[in-house]
Amino acid sequence: MSLNNFIIRLENVKKIYGKGKEEVEVFSNLNLNIPNRSIYGIIGPSGSGKSTLLNLIGGLDTPTEGKVFVKDKEISSLDDGERGNFRAKYISYVFQFFHLIPELNLEENVALPLIIKGHKRKDAFSKAKELLNCLGIGEFEKRYPFEISGGEQQRVCIARALITEPEIILLDEPTGSLDHKNSDILIEIIKKIHLDKGITFVVVTHNENLKNICNYVHHLGVNNV
Ligand code: ADP
Ligand code: MG
């Protein structure tokens, strides 16, 4: 497999938070090659650096040492603005606790990333409706996040992640606040999107069924040194 088949690469990455006595080394010498169009699982105990790793891949943070490449671009050497632009173009996030905007209805929540990018409101709303329909929650488009269940909220987050047509979706414990049934619904949705669109998913999870659909799994230990 040539390097080009890896959509995400980490080279000798070290991450330290804080300075002096407060210093916490999360990992060092971390090398990862994430194949294009894969579902790539990240597992490990609490505090092992799973969210830190997603933040480095998503360009929300930079490594203390080493390099992070996404689509062969060294994002770890970009400035904050450039990294933000790069992320907006290629990457979406889905979190455990949804992070929907409570004052916006579901359609508006899903449309927002496109509106921010400068698309016409009409187009953004019609695409939002289409995605909500695809995910089986079209009838709720005018409801607010507090008026639907956790499982439905997470499907709204998937719709919001998809609307910008990203190449990479980063999911941080996406089933972590869902019951068994809703977790399984979400996993089926991820499987289907992966099959239909060939998006690369990097997913932090403890869920066995979600691990089972991963093409690769990377284990992080405590003090990955
Ligand atoms: P996980 O997601 O695997 O639970 P995290 O990536 O959130 O782990 O955190 C890894 C380690 O880094 C933990 O010890 C955590 O306390 C520490 N940490 C995370 N974020 C920060 C931060 N912003 N400042 C200082 N320490 C942090
Ligand atoms: Mg975490």
Side-chain angles (χ1 to χ4, degrees):
M1 195 183 266
S2 85
L3 281 183
N4 289 338
N5 288 329
F6 297 118
I7 189 164
I8 297 157
R9 291 191 290 122
L10 271 72
E11 277 182 10
N12 293 320
V13 166
K14 177 188 269 197
K15 182 64 188 177
I16 295 174
Y17 288 114
K19 286 214 163 66
K21 278 192 186 149
E22 306 290 307
E23 203 174 283
V24 181
E25 181 172 310
V26 187
F27 35 65
S28 64
N29 294 316
L30 183 63
N31 292 286
L32 276 190
N33 290 307
I34 301 186
N36 197 11
R37 295 167 178 259
S38 59
I39 305 181
Y40 195 98
I42 308 281
I43 62 175
S46 179
S48 58
K50 304 181 298 296
S51 298
T52 300
L53 177 55
L54 282 195
N55 289 343
L56 295 175
I57 294 171
L60 291 172
D61 200 358
T62 50
T64 311
E65 283 177 22
K67 295 175 179 175
V68 179
F69 296 90
V70 177
K71 293 175 64 65
D72 286 326
K73 179 106 181 155
E74 190 192 338
I75 61 163
S76 45
S77 67
L78 301 177
D79 68 32
D80 289 355
E82 289 169 333
R83 269 203 330 279
N85 290 337
F86 188 87
R87 179 173 57 247
K89 207 162 166 192
Y90 299 113
I91 302 175
S92 291
Y93 258 94
V94 174
F95 300 95
Q96 175 178 357
F97 295 112
F98 320 135
H99 298 284
L100 291 166
I101 297 175
E103 296 82 4
L104 299 182
N105 70 30
L106 305 188
E107 187 185 39
E108 291 164 340
N109 263 287
V110 175
L112 191 61
L114 274 196
I115 293 170
I116 290 171
K117 280 188 150 191
H119 288 240
K120 285 191 192 131
R121 289 180 69 88
K122 192 168 150 267
D123 297 344
F125 277 91
S126 83
K127 201 161 172 200
K129 275 187 191 146
E130 191 186 311
L131 283 168
L132 287 168
N133 275 328
C134 284
L135 295 177
I137 42 177
E139 67 197 284
F140 299 154
E141 65 188 27
K142 301 293 181 210
R143 290 202 196 173
Y144 288 82
F146 68 88
E147 296 176 313
I148 59 172
S149 73
E152 288 155 356
Q153 288 189 53
Q154 198 58 304
R155 280 188 262 164
V156 176
C157 294
I158 297 277
R160 180 182 57 182
L162 286 171
I163 199 161
T164 53
E165 300 182 358
E167 292 189 32
I168 298 166
I169 299 186
L170 307 177
L171 307 102
D172 199 346
E173 309 205 23
T175 61
S177 22
L178 304 185
D179 61 26
H180 199 76
K181 180 168 164 257
N182 278 298
S183 297
D184 284 347
I185 292 172
L186 193 79
I187 293 163
E188 283 307 311
I189 287 171
I190 293 171
K191 227 162 94 178
K192 184 168 187 317
I193 296 166
H194 181 248
L195 211 62
D196 289 352
K197 301 187 191 284
I199 294 172
T200 303
F201 288 91
V202 184
V203 54
V204 167
T205 191
H206 296 289
N207 181 296
E208 286 300 325
N209 293 341
L210 186 46
K211 273 184 223 168
N212 282 339
I213 68 160
C214 292
N215 309 116
Y216 305 87
V217 171
H218 183 85
H219 294 251
L220 283 177
V222 179
N223 298 322
N224 303 277
V225 284

